Amino acid sequence: MTSQVSSPAEQADATVVGEQRKPSPDKEVRRLDRVIIRFAGDSGDGMQLTGDRFTSETASFGNDLSTLPNFPAEIRAPAGTLPGVSSFQLHFADHDILTPGDAPNVLVAMNPAALKANIADVPRGAEIIVNTDEFTKRAMAKVGYETSPIEDGSLDGYSVHPVPLTTLTVEALKEYELSRKDAGRSKNMFALGLLSWMYHRPTESTEQFLRQKFAKKPDIAEANIAAYRAGWNFGETTEDFAVSYEVAPASTAFPTGTYRNISGNLALSYGLVAAGQQADLPLYLGSYPITPASDILHELSKHKNFGVRTFQAEDEIAGIGAALGAAFGGSLAVTTTSGPGVALKSETIGLAVSLELPLLIIDIQRGGPSTGLPTKTEQADLLQAMYGRNGEAPVPIVAPKTPADCFDAAIEAARIALTYRTPVFLLSDGYLANGSEPWRIPEVDELPDLRTQFAHVPNHTDKSGTEVFWPYKRDPETLARPWAIPGTPGLEHRIGGIEKQDGTGNISYDPANHDFMVRTRQAKVDGVEVPDLEVDDPATTSPPNSGTGDPEGARLLVLGWGSTYGPITAAVRRLRGAGEKVAQAHLRHLNPFPRNLGEVLARYEKVVVPEMNLGQLTTLLRAKYLVDAQSYNQVNGMPFKAEQLATALKEAIDG
């Protein structure tokens, strides 16, 4: 879904086309600046589809948004049980937002399990829409409800809307030749229609989407559309919903351009395609399916027209082996995985370090160790990416900070790999991979030129005067070795995992040569050109401890990396709004660190590092810079909440 951001005046002049519906002027309309909605139900209830459609309509309307899908780990847990609950949270606003929100203003609970699994997150006064048809004695007993929470007073303090979603859906579809069970499956579309009415969401494109999705089954398409319209009409006619809400477009939050809603994995896929085009190289993905990285394989397989070739290998080791072979053959090579797959790929990553070939290792982190939490998020692979190989095998590391930023991070990782002839880690995570936000589609001329030169002729004259090719004769600035395509006449050279002799590439067991090659590879990574770290510190014009700065300036620096950007920034905004002085910085490059990082850390009395691990970046900072960086961490499979971070940071400020 794309939309063109225009001025408020242009938006006011826009006309409604097609079958777009408007709420009746007879009902009260309240204006809100933001809303957080959570859809929850069984994994077979279509909550992800419902949330995705509501998100697409919200994006086309022009709101800023952030989403948090939450999947069960089981492929198909028993219906109506807590392990089978699937949810989708959407935060949308008329201003710039950064997180999917701490707590939902509206919870749509399709069954007792969905209510019980999510009620602890819902603040008093919030609206709860419950599908009363599913609150049978048997269904409630499955999750430990002895009495109905709708009737026993346990939901007092909430604004509860009991709606027989299944019955109403079946009644709306009685003219279609569907069984009650099949008709009831459209209850998610009824719920979507009701929420679309409540928040004045566009409707036309959802109906178009349903017709396209079920193009081969037009009766099913029309049944879903009928359920969707019935939900909208129910909101319009029932007295239980006396109020609807408006959240204006966030036109002032975005630069002018064409926008679309995008998830992290989709943005990463597009970034890889763009990198291949900008490098004028074929893009090769060697991969093995693993949650939450598989979407990248699925997406890239659709883009053969851009010179993309995807290979679904029989295992993780074969996937990266094929990718490394493609790099040797002159492709921009990629392998995608999650933490368990990185462990299996580690020897081949070390081989790529030794061969000094460009290779992108995309790690969509999830909870561990071992199989761990396949559908939950974590940031616990940093030390594995930094050190998880035998021998000294340094690899640059890049981490995106938002779903949309995954596009730019992919291009940056490709730049480093191609320029310095090295494998590069890109550390995303499940939160970024599945979350979504608006993304401005860049113009092609805004993208960097990633073209690189292959070796075509011999580059060394031996003692006999013969022109020969030395595969480890390096560029004096980048220390990158030449990239020679197999089959180029006169450029034959050896590959393999045994240590190479400097220059010639011959096998070498010489101690001094090994020491030199190890240090050279480390120097190459240390020399990767990365931008200086930018610090958001509006309170000071010079360092607080320098003796010349504002004595009332920020004494606390909050330093993050990866997906903690949104919650950290939201927390810092809250603190600043309350009058606190807090500085913030966020790392994209984790190896090498920005050259000014040590100087930045030394400016502040306190440094707090929020991480979704047990303090891995904190460990690196304390070891390298000898600073008393303090870790604030969690490993519960969920992203930080802004209020949680704001409270912790306030405690750090107060000492």
Side-chain angles (χ1 to χ4, degrees):
M1 181 66 65
T2 61
S3 60
Q4 185 74 25
V5 174
S6 53
S7 68
E10 291 172 327
Q11 290 173 343
D13 293 337
T15 57
V16 178
V17 297
E19 300 178 4
Q20 176 59 41
R21 296 164 164 244
K22 287 186 174 181
S24 168
D26 296 333
K27 286 198 172 185
E28 180 184 354
V29 177
R30 295 178 186 169
R31 294 187 178 274
L32 303 174
D33 63 349
R34 67 186 186 95
V35 174
I36 303 167
I37 298 174
R38 184 182 297 179
F39 298 93
D42 265 335
S43 57
D45 283 340
M47 295 297 93
Q48 303 305 321
L49 174 63
T50 305
D52 183 68
R53 288 313 312 161
F54 198 93
T55 299
S56 294
E57 300 293 5
T58 297
S60 68
F61 188 73
N63 295 119
D64 194 14
L65 61 89
S66 179
T67 70
L68 178 63
N70 193 359
F71 310 94
E74 288 76 8
I75 294 174
R76 195 70 172 93
T81 62
L82 293 174
V85 173
S86 175
S87 68
F88 188 105
Q89 184 161 305
L90 166 68
H91 182 192
F92 62 101
D94 65 1
H95 56 277
D96 177 33
I97 57 173
L98 298 154
T99 74
D102 288 357
N105 308 116
V106 181
L107 171 66
V108 180
M110 304 298 280
N111 60 22
L115 179 65
K116 188 159 191 175
N118 291 280
I119 190 64
D121 294 336
V122 183
R124 295 284 173 169
E127 295 190 80
I128 301 176
I129 300 172
V130 291
N131 179 15
T132 55
D133 288 327
E134 296 296 321
F135 279 72
T136 63
K137 288 185 177 180
R138 181 181 179 185
M140 290 187 290
K142 282 185 180 180
V143 296
Y145 281 135
E146 296 181 0
T147 59
S148 172
I150 303 172
E151 301 172 352
D152 65 9
S154 59
L155 296 182
D156 290 350
Y158 301 97
S159 178
V160 180
H161 302 278
V163 181
L165 287 172
T166 307
T167 299
L168 291 172
T169 302
V170 171
E171 178 66 21
L173 303 185
K174 62 183 179 181
E175 65 183 81
Y176 297 89
E177 296 181 359
L178 298 173
S179 67
R180 179 179 176 85
K181 181 178 180 181
D182 288 341
R185 288 174 177 164
S186 296
K187 62 181 177 291
N188 64 321
M189 288 296 104
F190 189 101
L192 177 60
L194 173 58
L195 270 293
S196 296
W197 173 84
M198 283 182 66
Y199 292 98
H200 299 199
R201 297 298 91 186
T203 60
E204 184 182 16
S205 62
T206 289
E207 296 187 8
Q208 292 174 347
F209 166 83
L210 291 170
R211 290 191 174 96
Q212 292 171 358
K213 180 177 177 63
F214 299 105
K216 295 181 179 180
K217 298 179 179 179
D219 291 345
I220 299 297
E222 292 306 316
N224 276 281
I225 291 171
Y228 178 63
R229 291 177 175 176
W232 198 97
N233 291 333
F234 178 78
E236 178 74 357
T237 57
T238 184
E239 294 183 0
D240 191 32
F241 292 91
V243 178
S244 65
Y245 304 92
E246 282 188 352
V247 180
S251 58
T252 58
F254 305 110
T256 299
T258 301
Y259 285 77
R260 60 159 294 158
N261 181 49
I262 200 164
S263 68
N265 273 354
L266 184 57
L268 212 161
S269 300
Y270 286 173
L272 293 172
V273 174
Q277 293 295 297
Q278 293 303 104
D280 196 21
L281 294 174
L283 180 69
Y284 183 93
L285 174 65
S287 184
Y288 178 75
I290 183 171
T291 302
S294 300
D295 290 341
I296 302 169
L297 172 61
H298 301 158
E299 182 61 34
L300 289 181
S301 67
K302 303 174 184 177
H303 298 290
K304 296 180 178 66
N305 56 315
F306 287 112
V308 179
R309 177 171 293 180
T310 54
F311 169 55
Q312 180 174 322
E314 65 268 28
D315 56 40
E316 295 281 5
I317 299 171
I320 191 173
L324 185 57
F328 181 62
S331 293
L332 176 56
V334 185
T335 189
T336 53
T337 189
S338 191
V342 173
L344 293 169
K345 296 177 188 290
S346 62
E347 184 181 11
T348 307
I349 297 171
L351 177 60
V353 171
S354 178
L355 297 182
E356 301 189 39
L357 286 170
L359 173 67
L360 303 185
I361 305 114
I362 311 295
D363 177 7
I364 313 299
Q365 301 166 95
R366 74 189 202 194
S370 188
T371 302
L373 303 171
T375 62
K376 309 303 179 184
T377 194
E378 203 165 274
Q379 285 184 296
D381 294 349
L382 176 56
L383 294 183
Q384 180 178 219
M386 186 76 76
Y387 300 121
R389 292 162 295 284
N390 63 296
E392 295 289 346
V395 176
I397 303 172
V398 173
K401 62 184 181 180
T402 68
D405 188 50
C406 288
F407 178 88
D408 296 319
I411 293 177
E412 173 64 0
R415 177 192 72 84
I416 294 172
L418 293 169
T419 303
Y420 296 91
R421 308 284 197 275
T422 178
V424 176
F425 261 103
L426 190 152
L427 295 182
S428 180
D429 59 41
Y431 171 36
L432 295 184
N434 297 315
S436 61
E437 65 178 352
W439 172 58
R440 188 182 72 85
I441 302 172
E443 300 295 334
V444 174
D445 58 10
E446 297 174 15
L447 303 178
D449 185 350
L450 300 180
R451 286 175 294 183
T452 187
Q453 295 295 320
F454 293 115
H456 295 291
V457 296
N459 60 1
H460 183 75
T461 303
D462 65 14
K463 294 179 180 179
S464 67
T466 304
E467 295 290 325
V468 296
F469 177 66
W470 276 16
Y472 287 89
K473 188 172 184 177
R474 302 176 182 279
D475 181 299
E477 293 185 3
T478 65
L479 299 181
R481 76 172 185 86
W483 193 4
I485 302 301
T488 305
L491 303 190
E492 296 83 0
H493 57 286
R494 295 176 176 174
I495 62 171
I498 305 299
E499 181 64 278
K500 309 295 185 297
Q501 184 181 42
D502 178 43
T504 68
N506 295 332
I507 293 173
S508 173
Y509 297 101
D510 177 61
N513 178 78
H514 176 61
D515 182 89
F516 177 80
M517 293 296 277
V518 167
R519 294 179 186 277
T520 300
R521 289 190 289 261
Q522 182 66 60
K524 180 170 65 171
V525 172
D526 291 341
V528 170
E529 184 179 350
V530 303
D532 279 351
L533 180 65
E534 295 183 359
V535 182
D536 178 11
D537 185 355
T540 61
T541 56
S542 58
N545 299 327
S546 66
T548 59
D550 176 5
E552 300 301 322
R555 288 175 166 75
L556 172 68
L557 172 69
V558 189
L559 181 67
W561 70 277
S563 66
T564 57
Y565 173 78
I568 289 174
T569 306
V572 168
R573 286 181 180 178
R574 294 188 185 197
L575 290 172
R576 289 176 179 173
E580 302 291 347
K581 295 178 180 179
V582 185
Q584 178 190 358
H586 209 77
L587 289 167
R588 161 168 282 177
H589 298 90
L590 296 152
N591 193 29
F593 286 130
R595 286 166 177 76
N596 69 331
L597 177 56
E599 180 268 328
V600 168
L601 295 174
R603 293 182 199 171
Y604 298 92
E605 292 179 6
K606 296 181 180 180
V607 177
V608 175
V609 184
E611 296 182 81
M612 292 187 292
N613 57 49
L614 295 183
Q616 296 187 16
L617 176 59
T618 307
T619 298
L620 295 174
L621 296 175
R622 292 169 69 95
K624 185 175 179 65
Y625 299 105
L626 304 180
V627 296
D628 187 22
Q630 301 299 310
S631 179
Y632 180 79
N633 47 56
Q634 70 177 34
V635 282
N636 61 6
M638 298 296 290
F640 285 113
K641 294 181 178 180
E643 184 61 31
Q644 166 195 1
L645 278 181
T647 300
L649 296 177
K650 181 65 167 65
E651 292 175 356
I653 292 171
D654 294 341

